[in-house]
Amino acid sequence: MNVSPKLLLDQLVKNGNLTREEADHYEVSSLQKNIALDQYLLEKSTLSKIDVIKAIAEIESIAYIDLNSSPIDSQAVGMIAEPIARKYQVIPYRFDPSQSKIYLATTDPYNSAVIDFLEKKTGKKIILALADGEQIQKMIDLAYSQGLSPEVREALKEYIPSKEGRKTELTSMAIHEAPIAKIVSTILEFSIKSRASDVHIEPEENRTKVRYRIDGILQEKLSLPKTIHDALISRIKILSEMKIDEKRIPQDGRFTFRIGNEEVDLRVSTLPTVNGEKVVMRLLKKTGGIPGLLDLGMRGPQLKAVEEAILKPYGIILITGPTGSGKTTTLYSILSRLNKPSVNIMTLEDPVEYQIAGINQVQINPQAGLTFATGLRSFLRQDPNIILVGEIRDKETTQLAIQAALTGHLVFSTLHTNDSSTAIPRLIDLGAEPFLIASVLTEVIAQRICRRICQSCKSVYEPIPQVKENIKEVLGSFLPKIYETQPIKLSKGTGCHECNQSGYLGRVAIFEVLKVSPGINKMILQQESAKAIEEQARKEDLIMMKQDGYLKALEGITTIEEVLRVAET
């Protein structure tokens, strides 16, 4: 596109992508090399291609679409054949049935010949938007290789509108057979390939959106026509052995899905909403094994403290953090380490997430009267050495867990608190006597999960002075000695094909391991505040969660922004 060099540079400066000096430098360089400025910025500069394309779209007052963060409407994909999309380098990303419009991403939004041709071909109005050429190519490969569009068309044919204008119910054949089954299978295959931990299928007024939680962040990847929603949910319910005719109350189920050598357990939950039933599927990998504590990100003094605590024959070790902070994975990692034929390990969970050979795992069932409290009472008659209680959430479970630890058992459990020191007042709130807590509590581990920097596009940079000062202030005596003589350097991911332009790939935990020392024991007996306990622990060299995160940022494992996102209090 021919854009005025002056306007383009002014727009980039206005958007904060360039300084005026950098803009002048690029203008001179493009003239010296006799290359159009927009081409020079896209190919030779350190600027993000997305920033340049956005600036061009703003100057030309045309729509811009970022295909990496926008879902592709499978119904729109089904209206334009793959050969045409490849020939004209366009990708349909949205269909508006009310106005009969197809929205297409292209590198040339002023190509009237393409608009005329496609309007005649589809019988719909075509709206073009500017997008990055590489993103378009990637999305063409993804959208058409998934094979979703033909399946959606087939599934739509199963619906025959009745004379009153309502859609008739899908037959059981439609639920079981190729189109719907293929769509469900494709959604699951994509979730495994993209390392998603959860899949959300959410009904809206005019469409059904599919979102994937990848590295802890929800990303919308697919949009389906609302007409197939009921069949899609029914198919998932059948796989999960739920009642397909019960749509008024939440249901839970599970099933196993295999793709190639990978096998995953799916924990399925349905919920009635105003627009229909929503489904969330939690993916639990059966292959690949349980990661070790080192793989999770625990090392140094923290790892040593945990290893010492788990080798004691009795006591309580608590893991704290909000939902989705990796508590269960850490517990399984510890249990795998302790699992040997000479030890009887019993777990009481809600639900059992990973099945480990050699461990007796029990899932609670409150409707049948099997709760954490009743299960724990029965466990004590089963001659266990080690007991895992999924969560301490009431007075009875708290007292039974303490009783189990007092009678010579090693007890692991989780609590929903923000940091390690808050766990102690929380136990007192749940009815535990301070002198009993002081007798049995060995250690409290608080944790969060940060995204790892993608190794394929990792780059090192020197942060601004304010950030350096903040790092020194937060770490204090934990700042590595090397930075007394060398400048502080941090890393970030610039975004590549491997990490889907996010700059992050995979996750790592940050920890806070509070050892219950004689000094802290005394404070528990005196019912001191969480703040006072934390101050005492810091005097005894407690590495705070934020400090552990900053140390991992200095090592180039994660970014300061990620640490602040999950650990800032």
Side-chain angles (χ1 to χ4, degrees):
M1 292 179 68
N2 294 320
V3 185
S4 158
K6 186 176 183 323
L7 285 175
L8 179 53
L9 290 170
D10 286 349
Q11 188 66 46
L12 287 164
V13 171
K14 183 183 168 187
N15 292 353
N17 306 126
L18 286 179
T19 62
R20 179 44 65 189
E21 292 75 26
E22 288 171 327
D24 294 340
H25 167 72
Y26 283 133
E27 186 173 16
V28 172
S29 299
S30 67
L31 288 168
Q32 285 173 342
K33 291 189 169 54
N34 197 25
I35 301 173
L37 180 70
D38 55 348
Q39 187 186 341
Y40 182 86
L41 292 173
L42 288 167
E43 294 171 9
K44 310 277 186 190
S45 77
T46 55
L47 276 171
S48 152
K49 285 176 75 177
I50 303 304
D51 291 336
V52 178
I53 294 165
K54 266 187 189 171
I56 293 169
E58 283 167 341
I59 292 163
E60 299 288 333
S61 301
I62 50 176
Y64 163 77
I65 177 80
D66 181 0
L67 295 171
N68 281 332
S69 59
S70 302
I72 296 294
D73 185 339
S74 55
Q75 201 171 2
V77 172
M79 291 175 178
I80 294 194
E82 185 179 354
I84 293 172
R86 289 195 184 280
K87 182 181 176 185
Y88 293 106
Q89 280 299 287
V90 294
I91 180 76
Y93 63 89
R94 187 177 148 223
F95 173 59
D96 182 352
S98 61
Q99 296 183 34
S100 199
K101 286 180 182 175
I102 302 173
Y103 292 82
L104 271 81
T106 176
T107 53
D108 184 6
Y110 290 126
N111 194 334
S112 55
V114 171
I115 294 174
D116 293 343
F117 170 73
L118 291 174
E119 284 186 344
K120 282 175 187 159
K121 187 88 180 161
T122 60
K124 309 277 190 293
K125 180 118 180 84
I126 299 293
I127 307 290
L128 296 182
L130 184 63
D132 173 35
E134 280 182 20
Q135 285 189 7
I136 291 171
Q137 188 57 56
K138 181 178 134 194
M139 216 42 88
I140 288 172
D141 294 340
L142 186 67
Y144 290 102
S145 69
Q146 276 188 354
L148 264 186
S149 47
E151 275 70 39
V152 172
R153 278 207 303 275
E154 287 301 314
L156 288 171
K157 285 177 190 170
E158 301 285 350
Y159 275 92
I160 305 158
S162 65
K163 286 175 185 170
E164 290 83 17
R166 293 193 306 258
K167 299 176 188 71
T168 57
E169 282 295 308
L170 267 150
T171 62
S172 61
M173 288 291 284
I175 293 164
H176 285 286
E177 284 189 355
I180 295 295
K182 174 71 176 169
I183 291 169
V184 172
S185 178
T186 308
I187 287 169
L188 294 176
E189 279 177 30
F190 184 82
S191 68
I192 294 168
K193 285 175 185 169
S194 59
R195 302 169 296 100
S197 60
D198 301 82
V199 182
H200 294 233
I201 299 174
E202 303 172 335
E204 293 187 343
E205 198 173 346
N206 299 313
R207 66 173 185 142
T208 293
K209 70 179 179 188
V210 182
R211 296 197 290 172
Y212 297 90
R213 192 175 291 282
I214 300 167
D215 291 337
I217 307 290
L218 269 177
Q219 301 176 19
E220 191 176 331
K221 293 287 184 185
L222 187 65
S223 176
L224 296 166
K226 185 68 181 287
T227 43
I228 67 164
H229 182 79
D230 287 348
L232 206 60
I233 302 303
S234 295
R235 170 69 183 162
I236 293 166
K237 280 183 171 181
I238 285 166
L239 290 169
S240 315
E241 297 181 355
M242 296 183 199
K243 296 175 183 172
I244 64 167
D245 57 340
E246 181 53 85
K247 300 179 180 184
R248 299 163 302 166
I249 58 169
Q251 292 187 70
D252 292 301
R254 66 192 304 160
F255 67 96
T256 301
F257 181 78
R258 180 186 282 276
I259 169 175
N261 296 325
E262 289 212 65
E263 192 176 8
V264 292
D265 256 346
L266 288 113
R267 216 172 70 206
V268 186
S269 166
T270 69
L271 183 76
T273 73
V274 289
N275 291 313
E277 282 185 286
K278 176 186 172 177
V279 164
V280 174
M281 296 183 278
R282 164 68 55 91
L283 280 79
L284 305 163
K285 278 194 177 182
K286 289 178 100 171
T287 45
I290 292 157
L293 291 171
L294 267 172
D295 301 323
L296 295 177
M298 195 179 283
R299 68 269 159 87
Q302 295 177 320
L303 182 61
K304 185 170 178 281
V306 170
E307 284 179 333
E308 283 172 3
I310 65 176
L311 291 175
K312 290 184 178 177
Y314 63 90
I316 293 180
I317 296 170
L318 293 175
I319 301 191
T320 77
T323 305
S325 59
K327 299 187 295 292
T328 308
T329 306
T330 303
L331 281 173
Y332 281 143
S333 183
I334 292 170
L335 289 187
S336 298
R337 191 160 187 154
L338 298 171
N339 187 16
K340 51 188 180 217
S342 58
V343 176
N344 179 17
I345 302 176
M346 303 194 70
T347 77
L348 195 57
E349 302 171 62
D350 179 25
V352 173
E353 292 198 6
Y354 297 94
Q355 291 177 9
I356 310 170
I359 294 179
N360 305 287
Q361 294 171 274
V362 177
Q363 180 156 330
I364 70 161
N365 185 352
Q367 288 153 330
L370 178 55
T371 63
F372 281 126
T374 56
L376 192 47
R377 198 175 278 112
S378 305
F379 271 23
L380 297 174
R381 296 193 291 273
Q382 289 280 324
D383 185 32
N385 299 98
I386 297 167
I387 297 170
L388 163 63
V389 185
E391 189 185 338
I392 290 177
R393 56 170 79 145
D394 57 43
K395 185 176 181 178
E396 195 178 0
T397 312
T398 309
Q399 290 172 341
L400 283 164
I402 289 172
Q403 197 60 45
L406 284 168
T407 51
H409 303 91
L410 183 58
V411 179
F412 293 95
S413 192
T414 68
L415 266 181
H416 285 282
T417 63
N418 286 331
D419 52 40
S420 54
S421 55
T422 320
I424 295 159
R426 178 89 178 106
L427 284 175
I428 295 170
D429 289 345
L430 286 167
E433 294 289 351
F435 72 93
L436 291 178
I437 297 171
S439 305
V440 296
L441 189 63
T442 309
E443 200 163 69
V444 183
I445 305 164
Q447 68 177 77
R448 300 285 188 282
I449 301 181
C450 295
R451 291 180 290 171
R452 281 181 186 269
I453 296 169
C454 172
Q455 295 301 305
S456 302
C457 60
K458 181 176 168 181
S459 66
V460 178
Y461 71 98
E462 199 169 320
I464 58 172
Q466 295 97 305
V467 173
K468 287 183 187 176
E469 284 309 309
N470 177 249
I471 291 169
K472 287 175 182 174
E473 188 187 328
V474 168
L475 287 177
S477 62
F478 293 118
L479 183 73
K481 295 282 184 281
I482 191 170
Y483 295 115
E484 289 174 7
T485 53
Q486 287 185 18
I488 289 174
K489 296 271 179 86
L490 296 173
S491 302
K492 64 179 177 183
T494 53
C496 65
H497 178 70
E498 283 290 312
C499 60
N500 200 18
Q501 307 302 324
S502 69
Y504 296 100
L505 190 68
R507 292 195 281 174
V508 66
I510 56 173
F511 297 96
E512 183 176 294
V513 179
L514 186 145
K515 290 191 287 184
V516 180
S517 63
I520 289 172
N521 249 331
K522 195 175 172 185
M523 296 177 84
I524 294 171
L525 289 168
Q526 292 167 350
Q527 295 194 40
E528 296 266 10
S529 68
K531 193 76 191 155
I533 291 169
E534 183 188 294
E535 281 169 15
Q536 175 62 26
R538 290 185 78 161
K539 285 176 192 167
E540 296 172 11
D541 286 340
L542 167 72
I543 298 173
M544 301 294 288
M545 209 163 3
K546 191 172 171 183
Q547 291 174 327
D548 187 38
Y550 273 34
L551 288 168
K552 287 185 169 96
L554 287 174
E555 285 180 44
I557 297 169
T558 187
T559 63
I560 294 286
E561 292 79 10
E562 269 298 287
V563 176
L564 294 174
R565 180 178 71 84
V566 300
E568 187 68 286
T569 51

